[in-house]
Each structure stands twice: as structure tokens, then as C-alpha cells.
Amino acid sequence: MRRPSSSPSPARAPALAAAAAVVLLPAIFPALFSPLGRAFPSLFSEWNAPKPMHESLLNQALQWTIPDEQKRDLWTPLPYQGWKPCLKSPGAHDLPFGYIQVFLDGGLNQQRMGICDAVAVAKILNATLVIPHLEVNPVWKDSSSFKDIFNVDHFINTLRREVSIVKYLPKEFSWSTREFYGTGIRATRIKTAPLHASASWYIENVGPILQSYGIAAIAPFSHRLAFDDLPADIQRLRCKVNFEALVFLPYIISLGRTLEKRLRSPVQGHSIELAQQGVEENTNQAGKYAVLHLRFDKDMAAHSACDFGGGRAEKLALAKYRQVIWQGRVLNSQLTDEELRNTGRCPLTPEEIGLILVALGFDNSTRLYLASHKVYGGEARISSLRKLFPLMEDKRSLASEDELAKVEGKASVLAALDYYISMHSDVFISASPGNMHNALLAHRAYRNLKTIRPNMALLGHVFVNKSMEWSGFQQAVQAGHKGRYGQIRLRKPTQSIYTYPAPDCMCQG
């Protein structure tokens, strides 16, 4: 009796070859298969459309009718709170000596704070500030400079009575470039500025370098000036830079105004879809819009070490990302998901922030603008949020192709556009704390505008409770956010003046 052949039959050979191709080709040509990773996520990547983590609450929220009184209260502007901007000019500066350069890393809003500190340090040292250098962001690969984002002439003219500022160094200092400091140890570079350094530290450590060389370059510089024990005029100067001197370029403002106008205009092209969803015209919010800053990129999701419902593939992908970026040194990864959520350390998912917005009184007729750079999981992750808010827009849905062409690929300019639209909204909400959250919290407090601050500790506890019904969820969210709609909070010692501008830069009366 002949032993069966171990080779595949002619009929089975094509099937086996196809199976081998499915397994091997993505590993050999990953770039070729990256689009398929979105088309077939369970096979190729962690971009697996997650099931709702709070399906029962989501279904109830989709059917919830919000009382008119709650909607009226939500969209009513903040009353005057007894505080107003207070930025008296300290008068003319003395004849400056020497030049100060700073090199700023981070995203746009971190750089914004660094610019304010740089002006303050120049004032402390009575030096001339060179327009700050913005480093290329390693995450967004954006090489936009100060002059690509901010109106340089306005910046210099607004501050000319307080600080001497120049666009470029004189010829005798033309050697002092970023490249010069990146190729070796230089006597004119200060690398040792401590976090939140005092004014006296700069006078004692940077002053002598200015005296000897006539120039000093400080890098790194982010968060290098204290928030306490500074003269009152220095504090007011920081706020003047932040709220008056830093103005975006005219083309950014023009596009921002255009998109704002579209957000405030009646909805076009959605009538059939909205009729099917039972959306009614709400006169309380006609012509109004809210901005949601959705801070949910892969960087943040991985660093939090929380579970976001994407299954095993997502967990493995985020763990690998943590290992590559931070060599696994993420303290949160030692805690369970429930422990992280109970202490408010998990960023809110699009689904979760959507449920919170409905509980606070936003409904499916809300014009919601989504301000975000890149959402981890893409459109699949946003699907629940879009079901709750079918009129949700973003830069790409509002702007034309020609308008987008001017800003595409420029992460800092896109962030500036989001900032402008956020500042002019009727309500601003940030899904999780961060630099943009802090910057807008302060700027809107300075202008007495409504801003909702999520109560992260409370929300962590609420979302851990999987048995909670909608009525209990709504009551918990509303009770936990009383007094968190933009009410003035006085800055406490060590807190940032860029988050809490009162009382340093505001007056009562």
C-alpha cells in the first residue's frame, strides 16, 4: 500500500499559497498593507473599531430629551464676576545691555508660555530679547517659526515700552545660531537653568555672561521661570505678552473668522438626515457653537496605560509604543485600569466626553467644533461621539480645499487656528487637562467666557460603575461640575499664572 504523498494536491496548492501570502506579505511589505490595516483591523493592526465601553449609557443618551431650562442655562454667558484685566504699564525700560536668545521646544501652547517667560527674563536682566526660536517638534515634524504663526511687528510694538525686542541679532553676533550651539559646549549657552528658577537666579547666573560676552543663549528654556516671589510688574508683563502681544498672523485670523462664521450659520445640507434623527431647531442656541478639545492621540493613550476597549491588539500596540518611546518607564503601567480610573488618570475617550456633554445639557442640534490634532483610532473611535452630535465639524469639514492648502502639514498653524476658533466660541470644553486646556482656561477667564473644566477624579469613579443608569449618571455629572463653568479661581502658590491669571493680572471692581 502506497503511503499518501506529503505534498499538497494541485487543488489545494493555490489555497495554501494565498494563505501564505496573507500571513507573509504584511510582514515583508508593511507600507503596502497599512491601508488594509484600516480596512481589516482585526487582521492587521490595533485600529480595530472598539465596541462602546458604556453601551447602555450611550443608548439612553441617544434617546434623552434635555429640558429647555437646562439648555438655556448652559448657553447663557457668564455674568460679570467682579474681576477685570489689569495690566498697567510699568513705564519705559532702561537702556538694555546684551542680547538674550531662547530655544523653545514642545507644542504651540507650551511654546506660548515659554515666549511669555522669555520676555519676563529679558526684563529682569534688562537685556534685549531676540525673537524666540521655535524648535522643530519631534512628534509633528513642524518647522514653523515664530514669524510663521505670530504677528512679529505687533509683538514688538505692544511691548516696546517695557522690553527691547529685535527680529535679528546685529552682525557682530551673527555667529550665535541654533546650529552653533548644537555642535559643542559654548561659554555663552546656559543649559543649567532649573525648573521654575527665581529672578535672582537669572541675575546671578546669566547676568555675568551678558557682562562678559554681550549675549547669552538659554536652552532648554521651557518652564524655566518661577510663578511665585516675582515683582508684580513682571507678573503683569507675562500676562500682557500672553493676552495682548501674541496675536496670530492675519491669514490665520481671517481663516478663523471664516470658519467661525460658518459654524454660526444655519445648517446646510443636513435637513433630511437630521429629520430622520428627530433633531429640532433650538432657538436657545441658534447661531451659537461649542468647541470640544479632544486630547486623545496615541502618545497620550499609551502614556496613560489605561484600557480603551480596543481589545488585545490595542493593548499590545500601546505597550510596544511605550517601550519604544519611553523604554517602558511609565509609572501608570504598574496600576490596574480600575485603579487608574478611580484616581482620574485616564484621558476621556470620545465616547465618554460625548456622554458627559449630553448629561451637561448639549443635545443633537448642538454645533460642536472638534479641535484636535489626531485622534487615536481615527473615525472609528469618534463614531459614538458623532452619533450623539451629528452636526459636529472640524477644520477639514468646514474649510475648502484651497483654504486647507495654506495650512496643511503645519501642525502649529493648525493648532493656532483651533486656538482662535476656541477663543471665540460660546462654550469651550477640554476632554483632558493639558497645555491647550490650561492656555484657554486662562485666556477665557481673562475675557470672562464660559469654559467647562472636566472633573477628572469624579468622572473616573462614575465610569468605573458599569451598573449606573442614565438618571444617576446625569445627576452625578451635573453635581460634580457645579462651579466649573469658568468661574474665577484665584491662583494658589506654585500654580501657573498661565492657567490662573487672577489675582496677578486681574483687578477687582
Side-chain angles (χ1 to χ4, degrees):
M1 183 173 179
R2 189 172 64 180
R3 180 179 297 177
S5 174
S6 59
S7 60
S9 67
R12 292 176 58 200
L16 290 175
V22 168
V23 174
L24 296 176
L25 283 178
I28 301 170
F29 304 108
L32 180 66
F33 278 77
S34 58
L36 292 177
R38 286 155 178 77
F40 304 100
S42 60
L43 289 176
F44 295 102
S45 77
E46 82 270 25
W47 284 56
N48 195 0
K51 294 180 180 178
M53 295 180 70
H54 314 283
E55 191 166 13
S56 176
L57 287 178
L58 179 61
N59 291 334
Q60 293 174 73
L62 288 167
Q63 300 171 19
W64 177 247
T65 301
I66 298 168
D68 288 341
E69 183 180 358
Q70 185 183 0
K71 286 188 279 192
R72 275 195 301 271
D73 291 344
L74 182 65
W75 290 99
T76 299
L78 283 175
Y80 176 60
Q81 301 183 63
W83 289 87
K84 61 182 180 180
C86 188
L87 300 178
K88 294 179 182 178
S89 174
H93 56 81
D94 297 329
L95 188 65
F97 179 81
Y99 294 88
I100 289 289
Q101 291 177 288
V102 297
F103 305 113
L104 301 172
D105 54 15
L108 178 66
N109 292 292
Q110 182 175 321
Q111 290 171 337
R112 185 188 189 99
M113 299 170 196
I115 293 165
C116 300
D117 284 348
V119 173
V121 167
K123 179 70 174 179
I124 290 168
L125 294 170
N126 193 33
T128 294
L129 176 68
V130 184
I131 290 293
H133 174 90
L134 309 186
E135 302 275 29
V136 176
N137 191 290
V139 177
W140 300 296
K141 308 292 191 295
D142 186 5
S143 58
S144 297
S145 66
F146 188 105
K147 65 180 177 59
D148 294 326
I149 303 166
F150 299 108
N151 187 323
V152 176
D153 291 332
H154 177 87
F155 180 74
I156 293 174
N157 292 333
T158 302
L159 300 170
R160 69 183 185 277
R161 293 192 61 192
E162 288 91 352
V163 180
S164 171
I165 304 174
V166 295
K167 297 179 183 179
Y168 309 103
L169 283 169
K171 289 183 179 179
E172 61 264 34
F173 294 112
S174 60
W175 50 266
S176 187
T177 64
R178 185 66 185 93
E179 291 73 23
F180 172 75
Y181 292 109
T183 56
I185 297 172
R186 309 295 182 183
T188 52
R189 178 182 175 182
I190 296 92
K191 298 178 66 176
T192 56
L195 292 174
H196 307 306
S198 65
S200 60
W201 187 92
Y202 283 98
I203 293 170
E204 293 167 7
N205 293 275
V206 183
I209 294 175
L210 285 176
Q211 291 289 335
S212 299
Y213 300 95
I215 189 168
I218 310 173
F221 188 73
S222 295
H223 311 297
R224 263 31 188 212
L225 184 61
F227 294 119
D228 298 307
D229 300 321
L230 289 175
D233 65 319
I234 295 295
Q235 297 287 64
R236 286 193 294 270
L237 178 59
R238 293 164 100 177
C239 286
K240 185 172 184 177
V241 180
N242 198 13
F243 303 137
E244 296 184 10
L246 285 174
V247 172
F248 297 126
L249 287 175
Y251 88 94
I252 297 175
I253 294 175
S254 177
L255 181 54
R257 285 175 178 162
T258 299
L259 300 190
E260 179 195 355
K261 184 178 179 180
R262 290 171 190 167
L263 281 165
R264 295 193 184 282
S265 299
V267 179
Q268 301 293 329
H270 293 282
S271 55
I272 296 177
E273 178 186 352
L274 297 182
Q276 291 172 345
Q277 296 182 27
V279 176
E280 298 178 358
E281 186 67 26
N282 183 352
T283 56
N284 294 322
Q285 63 191 68
K288 297 181 179 180
Y289 73 94
V291 169
L292 169 63
H293 178 228
L294 185 55
R295 192 163 175 250
F296 195 78
D297 53 37
K298 187 168 186 175
D299 211 58
M300 188 172 188
H303 198 272
S304 71
C306 300
D307 179 10
F308 300 108
R312 185 169 181 269
E314 182 178 275
K315 288 180 181 178
L316 290 173
L318 293 179
K320 181 179 179 180
Y321 188 85
R322 281 194 295 273
Q323 188 62 40
V324 171
I325 302 298
W326 302 291
Q327 290 74 51
R329 295 191 297 271
V330 176
L331 294 177
N332 287 354
S333 60
Q334 307 304 315
L335 303 174
T336 67
D337 185 69
E338 185 169 342
E339 288 171 333
L340 292 170
R341 293 189 178 278
N342 278 328
T343 52
R345 299 190 198 182
C346 291
L348 297 170
T349 66
E351 175 195 353
E352 289 170 340
I353 192 64
L355 293 171
I356 293 162
L357 293 181
V358 176
L360 291 174
F362 295 96
D363 64 9
N364 60 358
S365 66
T366 297
R367 299 304 302 275
L368 187 66
Y369 178 84
L370 187 63
S372 64
H373 173 63
K374 192 173 184 180
V375 177
Y376 177 55
E379 187 62 32
R381 182 75 69 175
I382 305 175
S383 59
S384 295
L385 180 63
R386 201 175 291 283
K387 285 180 184 176
L388 293 168
F389 299 100
L391 300 183
M392 186 170 69
E393 305 275 9
D394 59 20
K395 296 178 285 290
R396 288 167 180 80
S397 66
L398 282 174
S400 68
E401 288 186 9
D402 289 342
E403 290 165 340
L404 282 174
K406 298 177 182 178
V407 296
E408 201 64 59
K410 302 175 182 177
S412 293
V413 175
L414 291 169
L417 188 61
D418 278 343
Y419 191 100
Y420 179 90
I421 296 170
S422 299
M423 268 305 298
H424 291 79
S425 66
D426 298 281
V427 187
F428 174 78
I429 315 102
S430 183
S432 300
N435 287 323
M436 184 167 177
H437 164 93
N438 294 339
L440 281 160
L441 184 69
H443 206 160
R444 291 177 65 88
Y446 188 76
R447 305 289 184 200
N448 198 47
L449 300 173
K450 185 166 281 188
T451 307
I452 299 176
R453 296 183 300 111
N455 187 334
M456 299 299 289
L458 165 87
L459 295 171
H461 282 287
V462 168
F463 282 120
V464 165
N465 185 354
K466 297 297 183 182
S467 63
M468 183 174 286
E469 293 295 318
W470 178 256
S471 59
F473 174 80
Q474 187 204 29
Q475 290 171 9
V477 169
Q478 289 194 15
H481 287 82
K482 287 181 179 178
R484 301 179 73 92
Y485 287 79
Q487 288 82 352
I488 293 291
R489 297 179 67 193
L490 300 184
R491 188 180 70 87
K492 298 176 182 178
T494 73
Q495 285 185 328
S496 171
I497 199 171
Y498 304 123
T499 308
Y500 306 104
D504 302 81
C505 303
M506 302 181 75
C507 303
Q508 286 184 296

